[in-house]
Amino acid sequence: PGKHHHAHHYDSAEHEYNSAKFGTWLFLCTEILMFGGLFVGYAIYHSKYPELFKAGSKFLDWKMGALNTVVLLVSSFTMAMGIYYAQLNQRKKSLMNLYITLICGGIFMVVKYFEYTHKIHEGLLPGKLFSYRGEGWDMVFNLPLYFSFYFSMTGLHGSHVLAGMVLI
């Protein structure tokens, strides 16, 4: 096909390419800063209140977490393969991998839906919204803090999965 014509606000096709590459790296840096801040906060509070985080983890379903981990690993692979096949101009293989990635994103969000609805039903919510009154709840200092981290981190990640699905 023909030569790539750069957009009018770029000096050249190379300038356009370098700007796009820089923008991608800048975006990745902001993602690292945003998620990194949450992970640093989590690590600080986890080291300060280990008994709280041990108690909070008992409310999580390891099977759903394991399923979502596998789903995310598969979707990462299929996304990479979709890009690989697109670069080789193999449209059918690229689309098939992107469809699988979308399906994995859907599975991830359905699992999150079940996890969230269960916690909401139980009253295991962040901060002042916390209303759980099950056995031993008052024995754990500041359990709402744990669920503040849980919903912040998993909610942000879920919104990223949804955004990725829309972009695909």
Side-chain angles (χ1 to χ4, degrees), residues 48-113:
K48 190 170 181 170
Y49 305 110
E51 67 286 345
L52 163 65
F53 283 79
K54 183 177 180 181
S57 71
K58 298 206 185 298
F59 292 96
L60 304 180
D61 184 340
W62 71 268
K63 293 174 191 164
M64 287 194 175
L67 173 61
N68 263 353
T69 299
V70 171
V71 167
L72 288 171
L73 290 172
V74 170
S75 69
S76 294
F77 175 75
T78 57
M79 184 68 207
M81 293 306 294
I83 293 169
Y84 171 75
Y85 286 124
Q87 291 170 336
L88 295 178
N89 211 20
Q90 295 181 12
R91 182 175 163 79
K92 285 185 180 181
K93 288 182 181 180
S94 178
L95 286 174
M96 181 57 65
N97 278 281
L98 294 177
Y99 290 141
I100 294 169
T101 304
L102 283 172
I103 291 167
C104 287
I107 293 168
F108 177 87
M109 295 309 294
V110 167
V111 170
K112 275 292 154 221
Y113 169 80

Side-chain angles (χ1 to χ4, degrees), residues 138-150:
D138 56 345
M139 302 300 287
V140 181
F141 170 72
N142 211 2
L143 197 52
L145 175 65
Y146 177 84
F147 287 100
S148 294
F149 274 107
Y150 172 81

